[in-house]
Amino acid sequence: MTVEIPESSVSSEGELRVDALAASDGRDGWLIELDGAELTGKATVRFQVGELEPDEPIPVVTHAESLDAEPTVITDVRYDNGEVIVTTDHFSPWWVDRWNEVRASATAWLRGRFDDIASLGYGSPPKCPGESDVRNSGFDATSDQGKRVYWCLGQDKESPLLKAVNARGYGVSVEYTPGLVFAGTDRKDWIGHAANLLRPTPSRPGNRIELLPAGNEIEFDLVGRRASDGIMVKPDPASYLLTALDFGVGTYAMVIERVGGRGAADKFLDAMKSATCLSSFSKLAASDPAGPRELTQFFATALNMALDCAELALAEADLGPILSTIVSPVLWVMNGVRTAIDGLVGTVESIDRNGYQVIVSRPVIDTEVINIVAVDRNGVPLPEWRARNPVRTAVDCQYPWPSMSSRGTDIVSCGSTVDGAHTCWIHNDRRSLTCAIDVWKKEFLQYRVDEPLSPVSAPTEAEPEWLELDDGSHCFRRHGGAWGARADGLAGAYSCDGGDSFVLAYDGPAIDTGAGQWTVKVGGLGASGEVFPTPAVVGVVRAYFTTSP
């Protein structure tokens, strides 16, 4: 390189020094300094870069106040006979990047990401506070073998917690059960937005899914009283798409950061959060490549879509004055990178499609038995209870039966199934009834009867009216009506969460009360003879009976 300083551009005689620099990413640069004088006008700096390739853009020139400062792209650059020429009134660290070298670096960076696919042990193990404390309190955790997931179980001031790191070199889905509450990840903002758009449907009702890029950490809080909860970490079509986006957008960001600085790359990634083209990826998520060849084709398609989407976001990003200087060259670089994709995507055949499971077990807590009263001795509703029907209506109670959930006297079941008069307290006038229908919302129905009711005793064996299960379900006792069936002969005894699942039983009791924590069988109902999976055995957290005021 040469530096030309006209005599009129310096304050006095001095010494010009030019020292070679090597940046942390291996780029060569120069430190230009003027001692004993000040640069008061313009100087010309000529960098020898050699002949450019056909269609290769003019090299990009940047300078910075210091080695640690954000570089500035020089917009007024000329190329002539193997030299890049700039005029400046500023001496500092300078760099010149040939775009063919940037293209080679981008291709190498992307190749490295594909090489990571075959590696296990990607990322770093997480750290959890209170690991001994949580185990001393009765919690435990087990997992599959291998280095596909790093995890730890701990305890903070609020609750037990589980952390996991995706140790694969590609994205995965993390499906988690209802007793785990998603507390956050360290994934980048833009890819978190994409992960929300691509989130697949869980394998079981009540579960949820988060998508986690390679090497990223996810954290859950443990809540509720389920006997156990867990996560299943595995790749799926949505996570393949997230990986393709991570690779494609990451390549663009790497190129922009190299030639335009971290600030410009951050603005580009901000633009990705609002890129409308991300929505098109959700349609591709419905595909499920069956074998290695299909997966390779799927990933190649997804990666090219990711590069197309990143190109649109780059055009919309507010990169400031460097926009016109680097956008076209960056696209030239990425066109070159695209030619290498076919030689890279074959590595995705090594993706391990097996899942990795972590199960957290809680100390078993006995079922809590709660006796419910909605009114006082005079029939006045207790605080927090409210009527669903503000006007007392008539109900047929010609044949009052003791409520099945009653542990006291004068609690009856009247009317038809649709009346909902199954747990009704008889008031002192023997003609007015208050009938609890929802213990969690504390709602009741108000009825009246034509003839005074005689005293009613409690049933011989009371059964709960409501159940709260350790998966968080709220279940209501069956009182007649047409319900579904199943091939194994089990019938519905309780309906849970609006009819999404059912507590099942044969002719006997629906609840196993043989241990401190009661259990029930939970499964689906459908057409007569329809085959369903074996019911899940679920713990009962709370069982609600009714009793006299």
Side-chain angles (χ1 to χ4, degrees):
M1 62 166 296
T2 61
V3 181
E4 301 170 357
I5 309 175
E7 183 177 0
S8 58
S9 294
V10 289
S11 59
S12 61
E13 291 185 356
E15 182 180 55
L16 177 69
R17 294 203 313 273
V18 180
D19 294 320
L21 291 177
S24 57
D25 58 4
R27 299 161 57 209
D28 292 329
W30 297 267
L31 176 60
I32 306 175
E33 294 179 306
L34 185 60
D35 288 344
E38 293 183 4
L39 186 64
T40 58
K42 297 287 187 178
T44 301
V45 184
R46 298 174 180 269
F47 301 96
Q48 298 287 337
V49 295
E51 292 297 321
L52 302 183
E53 293 182 10
D55 299 326
E56 180 183 353
I58 296 176
V60 61
V61 180
T62 55
H63 71 82
E65 293 293 334
S66 66
L67 291 176
D68 298 328
E70 183 82 2
T72 300
V73 176
I74 304 300
T75 56
D76 186 10
V77 178
R78 294 185 294 117
Y79 173 77
D80 182 35
N81 196 27
E83 290 185 332
V84 172
I85 306 166
V86 299
T87 57
T88 181
D89 58 4
H90 186 83
F91 286 158
S92 63
W94 288 71
W95 291 270
V96 176
D97 286 288
R98 281 277 303 266
W99 287 104
N100 66 340
E101 294 174 355
V102 175
R103 181 181 60 194
S105 296
T107 303
W109 184 89
L110 185 59
R111 181 179 292 109
R113 298 303 303 272
F114 277 99
D115 290 344
D116 289 337
I117 287 177
S119 68
L120 296 177
Y122 196 80
S124 302
K127 296 180 180 180
C128 289
E131 293 190 57
S132 58
D133 295 338
V134 72
R135 293 182 185 275
N136 290 339
S137 63
F139 288 81
D140 196 10
T142 58
S143 72
D144 295 333
Q145 299 297 315
K147 293 184 177 180
R148 289 173 291 175
V149 174
Y150 296 127
W151 60 270
C152 62
L153 177 68
Q155 169 81 53
D156 60 17
K157 294 181 180 179
E158 302 298 329
S159 65
L161 57 90
L162 174 68
K163 292 183 181 180
V165 170
N166 173 20
R168 310 187 193 207
Y170 44 89
V172 294
S173 68
V174 182
E175 182 169 356
Y176 55 100
T177 51
L180 297 175
V181 176
F182 173 61
T185 72
D186 59 354
R187 63 193 178 196
K188 298 182 287 289
D189 286 346
W190 80 267
I191 206 167
H193 175 70
N196 291 335
L197 289 176
L198 297 173
R199 184 184 291 119
T201 302
S203 63
R204 298 189 62 177
N207 288 359
R208 301 196 67 183
I209 289 181
E210 292 290 336
L211 296 178
L212 196 63
N216 280 189
E217 177 180 297
I218 190 168
E219 180 176 342
F220 301 97
D221 292 326
L222 275 71
V223 299
R225 292 174 50 180
R226 291 164 54 96
S228 64
D229 276 290
I231 61 174
M232 172 62 77
V233 181
K234 65 177 183 179
D236 60 15
S239 66
Y240 301 147
L241 293 174
L242 190 73
T243 301
L245 276 167
D246 193 16
F247 285 11
V249 174
T251 306
Y252 262 89
M254 172 263 172
V255 172
I256 296 169
E257 182 173 343
R258 170 162 174 166
V259 300
R262 184 175 300 276
D266 289 343
K267 291 178 180 179
F268 161 71
L269 295 177
D270 283 340
M272 283 301 309
K273 288 189 291 185
S274 57
T276 56
C277 52
L278 289 177
S279 60
S280 63
F281 281 78
S282 59
K283 300 176 183 178
L284 196 59
S287 305
D288 191 3
R293 177 176 297 180
E294 290 81 4
L295 179 57
T296 298
Q297 294 173 345
F298 180 89
F299 203 90
T301 299
L303 182 56
N304 277 291
M305 285 178 59
L307 295 175
D308 291 340
C309 190
E311 181 177 336
L312 293 174
L314 179 62
E316 297 173 359
D318 180 16
L319 301 185
I322 71 167
L323 182 65
S324 60
T325 304
I326 72 166
V327 168
S328 293
V330 167
L331 297 180
W332 182 86
V333 166
M334 298 309 299
N335 284 335
V337 171
R338 284 177 187 268
T339 63
I341 289 178
D342 290 342
L344 299 176
V345 293
T347 314
V348 302
E349 295 181 4
S350 62
I351 285 179
D352 182 356
R353 301 196 189 197
N354 294 320
Y356 185 102
Q357 193 173 49
V358 180
I359 299 296
V360 179
S361 58
R362 292 177 175 82
V364 177
I365 301 176
D366 292 349
T367 297
E368 183 180 4
V369 176
I370 301 176
N371 295 320
I372 292 297
V373 181
V375 294
D376 65 13
R377 292 184 181 275
N378 297 317
V380 177
L382 295 178
E384 298 183 359
W385 283 85
R386 63 185 183 89
R388 183 175 290 184
N389 60 335
V391 178
R392 195 175 295 278
T393 57
V395 68
D396 179 9
C397 206
Q398 184 178 0
Y399 303 102
W401 294 94
S403 172
M404 287 300 297
S405 64
S406 170
R407 287 184 161 183
T409 59
D410 283 345
I411 305 175
V412 298
S413 177
C414 297
S416 66
T417 299
V418 296
D419 289 325
H422 311 304
T423 54
C424 304
W425 289 270
I426 304 174
H427 295 186
N428 290 339
D429 63 4
R430 314 299 299 179
R431 294 173 180 267
S432 302
L433 302 176
T434 294
C435 308
I437 55 174
D438 193 323
V439 71
W440 296 284
K441 294 181 179 178
K442 294 190 179 301
E443 291 182 338
F444 58 80
L445 294 169
Q446 303 178 102
Y447 289 110
R448 56 180 171 79
V449 296
D450 293 334
E451 298 293 333
L453 296 173
S454 301
V456 177
S457 61
T460 303
E461 294 183 4
E463 298 179 0
E465 184 69 26
W466 305 276
L467 298 175
E468 183 176 340
L469 307 184
D470 66 11
D471 64 0
S473 298
H474 291 170
C475 304
F476 297 78
R477 183 177 178 80
R478 179 177 185 176
H479 294 280
W483 287 27
R486 33 189 302 142
D488 56 14
L490 286 165
Y494 292 80
S495 174
C496 305
D497 291 336
D500 289 337
S501 61
F502 302 86
V503 172
L504 305 173
Y506 291 107
D507 293 334
I511 306 171
D512 184 350
T513 60
Q517 185 184 62
W518 300 354
T519 59
V520 293
K521 295 182 176 67
V522 176
L525 292 175
S528 178
E530 186 173 350
V531 176
F532 287 89
T534 302
V537 177
V538 182
V540 178
V541 176
R542 296 178 184 87
Y544 297 87
F545 295 83
T546 54
T547 191
S548 302

